Amino acid sequence: MDFINNSILLAGVEIGTHYYWDIAGFAIHGQVFIVSWVVIGLLLTAAFLGANDPKRIPESWQNFMEATVEFTQDIARNQLGESSYRTWLPFVSTMFLFIFGCNWAGAIIPWKLILLPEGELAAPTNDINTTVALALLTSLTYFYAGFRKKGLGYFKRYLEPTPILLPINILEDFTKPLSLSFRLFGNVLADELTISVLVLLVPLFIPLPIMALGIFAGSVQALIFSTLAAAYIHEALE
C-alpha cells in the first residue's frame, strides 16, 4: 500500500508541462517569463541599491555589489587577459548574475506554493529554451568579437592548421552551444527533480542537505557557463 501511495505521489511530479501564453500566434512558456522577470527585478533592485549614493568606504549594498563586480571581473580577466577583459566584462557579468539568480531563485523560493492552471513555477534555467537562448547568445557574441577584431580574416580559422579540418572546425561551432545549453539544463533539471521526489517521499529533514547541495551546484553552473563564455570570446579574439 505504501508503495502504491508513493507511486501516486511521484506521478504528481510533472515534466514538460508548461503554462502557455499565446502571443501573436506564438506559444510562450509563461512560467519561464514570470520567474525571469522576478530575477531581473531583484538584480536591478540590488544594482540600484548598490549604485545609489556611493560612498568612499562602501557599506551594505554597495559593498555587496562591489564584491560581486570584483568576482565577475576576475572571471573575465583570467580568461580574456588584462588588455581585453574590460570590453567584455558587462556580457560575462550579466551571464553570471542572470544564471546565478535563476538557479538560486529555483532552489530557495517556494514557487510550488503558487498554483498555475498548467505546469509550475521553477528556475528558468530548467527549461531547455532558456539555456539554448543563452548558449546561442554566447555564440553570437564570440562570433561578433572575432569578426570585429579581424574582419573577414576571422573565417581563416576554419582552414587552420590545414583545410582538411574544415568540417571539424565548423562542427566545433555547433557543439559549443549544445554543450553549454545541455550542461546547464541537465544539472538544474536533475537537481529540481531530485528535490521534488525527496520532498514527496520524506517531507522534512532529508531534502534540506540536497537543497543546500543544489544551491552550491547552481552557483558552480553559473561560474562554469560564464567562464566558458569568456574563454570562447578569448579564443575568437586570438
Side-chain angles (χ1 to χ4, degrees):
M1 182 62 70
D2 290 338
F3 175 78
I4 296 175
N5 291 335
N6 290 336
S7 300
I8 295 173
L9 289 173
L10 291 177
V13 180
E14 297 180 343
I15 303 176
T17 303
H18 301 285
Y19 175 50
Y20 289 103
W21 289 345
D22 188 1
I23 300 178
F26 293 95
I28 297 176
H29 295 177
Q31 81 279 357
V32 174
F33 279 87
I34 293 173
V35 181
S36 296
W37 290 336
V38 171
V39 171
I40 293 171
L42 292 174
L43 292 176
L44 291 176
T45 301
F48 174 78
L49 294 175
N52 187 36
D53 190 23
K55 299 178 181 179
R56 183 178 297 273
I57 300 177
E59 300 176 355
S60 61
W61 282 105
Q62 182 184 350
N63 191 38
F64 172 76
M65 289 307 300
E66 288 187 7
T68 302
V69 172
E70 288 178 3
F71 180 79
T72 57
Q73 183 174 287
D74 287 341
I75 297 174
R77 183 190 288 115
N78 291 337
Q79 298 300 322
L80 292 163
E82 194 68 36
S83 61
S84 303
Y85 84 93
R86 294 184 184 277
T87 304
W88 305 103
L89 177 60
F91 176 79
V92 174
S93 298
T94 301
M95 279 291 176
F96 174 81
L97 291 174
F98 179 73
I99 296 173
F100 180 87
C102 289
N103 292 348
W104 271 56
I108 295 177
I109 301 176
W111 296 109
K112 290 179 173 56
L113 298 179
I114 303 175
L115 299 179
L116 298 177
E118 289 184 285
E120 60 184 17
L121 297 175
T125 43
N126 85 341
D127 189 300
I128 188 65
N129 298 282
T130 303
T131 59
V132 167
L134 294 173
L136 290 178
L137 183 59
T138 301
S139 296
L140 290 175
T141 301
Y142 74 71
F143 271 118
Y144 168 75
F147 187 77
R148 191 181 75 162
K149 181 176 180 180
K150 304 177 183 178
L152 294 177
Y154 169 73
F155 296 102
K156 291 181 180 179
R157 63 186 290 269
Y158 293 108
L159 303 176
E160 296 175 350
T162 171
I164 298 176
L165 296 179
L166 175 63
I168 297 177
N169 289 334
I170 293 176
L171 182 62
E172 181 183 5
D173 284 330
F174 286 96
T175 58
K176 284 178 179 176
L178 282 176
S179 64
L180 280 175
S181 58
F182 279 100
R183 180 188 297 108
L184 179 59
F185 165 71
N187 280 280
V188 176
L189 179 63
D191 174 65
E192 293 207 351
L193 286 177
T194 301
I195 293 175
S196 298
V197 171
L198 288 176
V199 167
L200 290 173
L201 295 177
V202 189
L204 189 56
F205 295 108
I206 297 299
L208 294 179
I210 304 298
M211 291 176 66
L213 182 61
I215 292 173
F216 173 75
S219 305
V220 172
Q221 289 305 313
L223 175 62
I224 291 174
F225 195 102
S226 56
T227 300
L228 288 176
Y232 292 157
I233 294 173
H234 175 70
E235 181 183 353
L237 293 174
E238 291 297 319

